[in-house]
Amino acid sequence: MAVHPAAVPPCPTDLPGWRDWHKRMTDTFFASNLRDEILLEIGAQLRRCNLQLEAVPAAKKCMRNFSSFFEAVTREKLTTGHLLGASIPDEKYFSEMPYPEMLELPEALKDQQFLRWLDTNDDESLASALRYIDQINETVLEPPFEWVAFIYESQHLPTPDGTGALGRFFIYVPRQDFDQHIQFGLQHDPARELPKGVSVVAVQKTEAGTGEALRRPRARMKDFWRKRDGERIEISTRLKETGLAENCYACHKQATLPITPDPLKFDQERFGAALNTINKRMASYGAIDLDGFTRAAYGPPMGPRTSPLRTPEFLADCSAGLVKPERLARLGEAMQCATCHDGDRRGELNYPSGIRMQPKGGTLMSWYVVNHQKMPLGVTDLSLFERKALVMCLNAEYYRGQGDQPGLLESWMRQEACW
Ligand code: HEC
Ligand code: HEC
């Protein structure tokens, strides 16, 4: 077999060299359709070339977006001790924070009887577990601090423990300084192992020390792990027990993702009101900063209000015959997702939104736009075909571009005006 020439050229040492390298790498990455191997090769070479790049400040400046992107999105694979993809090392992420209790389960949820009810997972034991939360609420003096619990089945993904658990026992635990959104996986099939997964999104609302409200809330996320030792159920962590962790931000572009239960399994009468309360609460934070993540490094928001690409020809092309010519202008309008997902009102949808597949198929974007028909928020006049086209066009505009015109992610990375 012929030796494959190195895909990634050596480190340049001067401005023209860097300009050429930057251009060639961007070409290669997009020509490969953003393949993971190419992504990692570029990320690795960029790390090796760091000193040479530092030595050419003008190049460094014009490669700022490119470098920050490759540094951020390859961190989890290329830097030891950063499996979460955060700039903070995993160990430190879980051990040092303004409110250390943020990433711990409340003591009441480590209660053995409560945990056993979740394991038993029949109607009666789940009712007992819910009653247990009601009892906790009897000791809460102010309604805003009441816990909210409900049960649902996820349509999108099983717990990350290989047990295929889709059922969730969800508990919202509001506190003065931070809120916790906690979910325990419930066994899917009695023939399979008991699920271990328990996860939390903790939203910090106040500054530690002063107690003053943060201008923008911050979040941290963690996967716990239930360890069953005879009768006892211990709460450990996924990282400790398996050595694994993953980049939550790949999907949690908004740290608190709205919950859309499997409608066929959801007890609307019993839990519908609680679900609504939680989704409203989650949406009310506005955009949330994630500790250790620079959101802007993952690219600009998808679906901006205006875009040089969004011409009638582009819309006709990207919608691939799914949309009638007289509806193309409407399609273009519906692409303005970033009026809300702008990084300020709500986390921006940037890389890898639209291409990152969910374990159960589809992308979060296709689920919300096509399956749930929830997005764009408040829009009711799009047909199913138009919704499918909408997802295709958003991806084309962001990742693929049109003719020689690069997509939004690519132009951002190229920084042509700077060069
Ligand atoms: C493959 C995409 C994906 C990844 C990766 C992911 N999640 Fe989620 N997560 C979701 C979706 C989708 C929901 C919304 C619930 C639903 O409808 O299934 C969710 C919901 C949650 C919830 C319930 C609170 C909320 O925001 O709705 C918690 C807690 C949670 N995830 C924790 C985590 C943690 C911790 C990580 C990283 C270790 C993580 N998730 C990684 C897709 C993901
Ligand atoms: C008018 C404001 C608005 C517009 C426009 C809008 N969204 Fe949303 N989006 C929201 C809100 C609010 C939520 C949370 C919904 C909930 O709580 O049920 C959300 C949630 C989502 C989610 C769940 C994951 C996440 O990051 O929050 C996706 C995916 C999504 N929107 C995609 C889109 C896409 C794609 C478009 C454009 C086609 C779009 N949205 C347009 C307001 C908007």
Side-chain angles (χ1 to χ4, degrees), residues 14-35:
D14 58 11
L15 191 60
W18 272 114
R19 160 130 225 200
D20 182 56
W21 192 90
H22 179 209
K23 194 172 167 315
R24 280 170 65 189
M25 290 303 96
T26 314
D27 289 346
T28 306
F29 181 52
F30 285 92
S32 82
N33 216 355
L34 294 81
R35 254 191 31 222

Side-chain angles (χ1 to χ4, degrees), residues 251-254 256-260 279-280 282-283 303 334-341 345-349 364-366 368-369 374-379 390-391 394:
C251 294
H252 285 252
K253 294 294 169 182
Q254 173 74 12
T256 50
L257 285 177
I259 294 174
T260 43
N279 280 344
K280 281 213 186 93
M282 286 179 170
M335 288 175 70
Q336 302 174 339
C337 312
T339 46
C340 301
H341 296 262
R345 292 208 214 182
R346 202 172 170 81
E348 55 276 66
L349 300 166
L364 268 188
M365 192 181 273
S366 68
Y368 274 85
V369 174
K374 282 205 170 162
M375 292 294 140
L377 193 69
V379 169
L390 177 54
V391 171
L394 284 165

